[in-house]
Amino acid sequence: MAKPAPMSFARALFSALAWAVQPLLRRKLRRRALAEPGYGVAVPERFGHYQPADLGRDGRGRWVWIHSVSLGETRAAAILIKALRERMPAMRLLLTHSTATGREEGAKLLQSGDVQVWLPWDTLGATQRFIAQFHPAVGVLMETEIWPNLIAGCANAGIPLVLANARLNAKSEAGALKMGAISRRTYGALAAVWAQSEEDARRLRNVGAQVSAVLGNLKFDVQPDEHLLSLAASWKQRLSKPVVLFASSREGEEAQLLGQLKSQPEAMQAVQWLIVPRHPQRFEAVAQQIADAGFAVSRRSLWGAQPPALANAIWLGDSLGEMPLYYAMSHLALMGGSFEPLGGQNLIESLACGTPVILGPHTFNFSQASELAVQAGAAIRSADMAQAVQDALAWVQNGADLEAARAKAHDFMAQHRGAAGATADAIVRLMNS
């Protein structure tokens, strides 16, 4: 067995700080659990303690471990997990997360013999206990998650740990470069890095990663739930007005839209607006915002079998797991996170449902997919919310243009599929090497 690499001064300092802030982390978890009870579940796992004590040991050395920090990464992981199960039907899955929404979504992916736990906080002790408990055959970090002690621990234990569907925006690149040697050593200790795009690969190499390949974006392989698509189609036939969805809206953005709807009454008359906040803990606050703006609000959680026929009401999508329903019943979607400087949310799921997208000016988290979609005619970019509302009205009033954009969305998705199979094949090869 290779001798463990000596700990650098930078990682020693990081480790000391990670250990020192544990009381603050526990307090933060208690506070988060008041709004999202999921944060109060299995808290000892956050610090590398598992109950019962032998959890996972029967799969020691055989686990395929996938870490997906939150909801978006877990949805991407679901696509990869499906491809891996096709290649390894007897696969034992170890699934870890950092957020309550990620863990809730991940629970849907488990089969008999699989295990789901929290990723431990990146102290030396917690990561060593995690590795000793499970000792997976391979580890897969999804998209952006980098933890110095965890990665070094896996390297020292001979566990190949990879970064899949890897992306790095300019802001994160700058932050990694500021971290200097600790960042370069951490990225450099990964067994493989599979980037989403050539631009991501360039940035990852710049911070010390050895990029093995550019395999594309797993999210292009998404297959929306057929039941939800069918339900959306039946609802859409009964609608009296076209639906415009504000998808994955973030704090501050709903106020922008509501302000525009108050100043542009024709937008309320011509369109049925549907808002689906990105974070479920904001459902109540957004419902109150809508009411305070002077609009009636109709909540999905109260609809029953179909949407109500309420004139001049704004619909609120306050449910989990139904984004394909919301996208497919809508004629087009405004993409949240792009109207505040937050980097935008993922537009691929909307396009997979055949729903064209209007982007705001801020899409640095999904820059390549956004630019390619605009070039393909499946999306357009608006300078601000005022223009986005006008663009939405113009689009829904031109049926031929909207139908052409829907076709382009389907074509765009078909052209970019294949990352799931390529990534799964690369993981299998790594495990067999």
Side-chain angles (χ1 to χ4, degrees):
M1 181 175 177
K3 184 179 179 181
M7 183 184 297
S8 66
F9 173 78
R11 187 158 73 88
L13 179 60
F14 170 87
S15 300
L17 290 172
W19 179 85
V21 302
Q22 288 179 99
L24 298 179
L25 174 61
R26 290 183 182 274
R27 184 172 69 179
K28 180 180 179 180
L29 290 171
R30 287 194 297 270
R31 290 178 174 176
R32 292 289 301 267
L34 296 176
E36 294 180 82
Y39 282 98
V41 171
V43 171
E45 293 177 2
R46 299 273 194 176
F47 304 94
H49 300 289
Y50 304 95
Q51 295 293 331
D54 63 347
L55 176 64
R57 288 190 181 274
D58 63 337
R60 184 177 169 85
R62 295 187 289 117
W63 295 110
V64 173
W65 163 39
I66 296 181
H67 175 63
S68 51
V69 57
S70 193
L71 183 62
E73 293 87 352
T74 303
R75 287 174 174 165
I79 300 167
L80 176 59
I81 290 167
K82 180 177 182 292
L84 286 169
R85 291 199 196 277
E86 290 171 354
R87 289 156 176 79
M88 299 183 289
M91 182 183 83
R92 300 286 301 276
L93 174 66
L94 170 62
L95 190 58
T96 62
H97 312 276
S98 299
T99 70
T101 52
R103 184 162 176 146
E104 183 177 0
E105 184 74 11
K108 304 172 186 177
L109 308 177
L110 303 178
Q111 295 184 4
S112 177
D114 295 341
V115 168
Q116 182 185 44
V117 295
W118 293 115
L119 184 77
W121 184 239
D122 203 46
T123 62
L124 283 172
T127 55
Q128 287 170 358
R129 287 188 291 272
F130 173 81
I131 291 168
Q133 185 77 37
F134 297 102
H135 204 284
V138 66
V140 182
L141 305 175
M142 297 296 297
E143 299 196 6
T144 59
E145 281 289 283
I146 294 295
W147 294 103
N149 285 323
L150 182 69
I151 292 174
C154 286
N156 290 336
I159 299 168
L161 185 58
V162 307
L163 187 63
N165 211 41
R167 60 184 175 90
L168 195 70
N169 62 42
K171 182 179 179 181
S172 296
E173 179 190 19
L177 290 172
K178 286 180 181 179
M179 292 177 66
I182 189 171
S183 177
R184 297 194 68 83
R185 286 194 179 202
T186 301
Y187 277 104
L190 291 164
V193 175
W194 301 313
Q196 291 186 18
S197 71
E198 292 293 347
E199 182 63 18
D200 290 311
R202 183 193 63 77
R203 289 176 174 151
L204 286 160
R205 291 188 183 102
N206 197 34
V207 299
Q210 301 297 315
V211 178
S212 308
V214 176
L215 300 182
N217 191 335
L218 286 168
K219 294 175 182 177
F220 281 114
D221 291 291
V222 66
Q223 296 293 333
D225 184 286
E226 289 294 337
H227 169 72
L228 293 178
L229 294 182
S230 177
L231 181 60
S234 67
W235 284 2
K236 203 169 185 178
Q237 290 178 347
R238 305 189 189 104
L239 297 174
S240 58
K241 294 192 291 188
V243 175
V244 175
L245 165 65
F246 192 11
S248 297
S249 60
R250 303 281 295 276
E251 190 167 2
E253 294 185 316
E254 297 93 355
Q256 288 188 43
L257 176 61
L258 294 170
Q260 291 301 319
L261 296 183
K262 289 180 72 174
S263 64
Q264 301 183 50
E266 68 277 10
M268 279 296 295
Q269 296 169 4
V271 169
Q272 174 62 63
W273 292 90
L274 167 61
I275 300 175
V276 182
R278 171 67 174 171
H279 298 116
Q281 65 267 30
R282 298 187 60 243
F283 288 162
E284 294 298 331
V286 174
Q288 189 62 52
Q289 269 190 286
I290 296 171
D292 290 345
F295 298 106
V297 58
S298 175
R299 303 178 64 151
R300 163 68 181 116
S301 57
L302 303 177
W303 285 357
Q306 63 184 39
L310 292 180
N312 295 320
I314 293 176
W315 291 348
L316 176 64
D318 60 345
S319 63
L320 295 176
E322 291 193 317
M323 283 309 299
L325 171 67
Y326 295 134
Y327 281 124
M329 69 183 291
S330 301
H331 292 69
L332 59 90
L334 277 63
M335 191 50 55
S338 68
F339 293 92
E340 289 283 341
L342 300 168
Q345 300 300 144
N346 177 30
L347 78 164
I348 293 174
E349 188 174 11
S350 181
L351 302 180
C353 295
T355 305
V357 172
I358 296 178
L359 299 165
H362 309 288
T363 56
F364 54 80
N365 281 334
F366 302 93
S367 57
Q368 186 198 41
S370 298
E371 290 306 316
L372 290 175
V374 170
Q375 292 171 19
I380 60 173
R381 190 180 294 278
S382 301
D384 53 28
M385 185 63 74
Q387 183 184 338
V389 171
Q390 286 299 309
D391 288 341
L393 291 177
W395 220 349
V396 298
Q397 289 167 2
N398 190 323
D401 283 355
L402 191 59
E403 191 57 35
R406 289 178 60 85
K408 290 174 182 177
H410 286 300
D411 291 343
F412 176 71
M413 291 296 297
Q415 291 167 10
H416 290 87
R417 290 192 178 104
T423 305
D425 288 340
I427 292 171
V428 172
R429 286 195 299 270
L430 185 64
M431 292 176 67
N432 292 335
S433 62

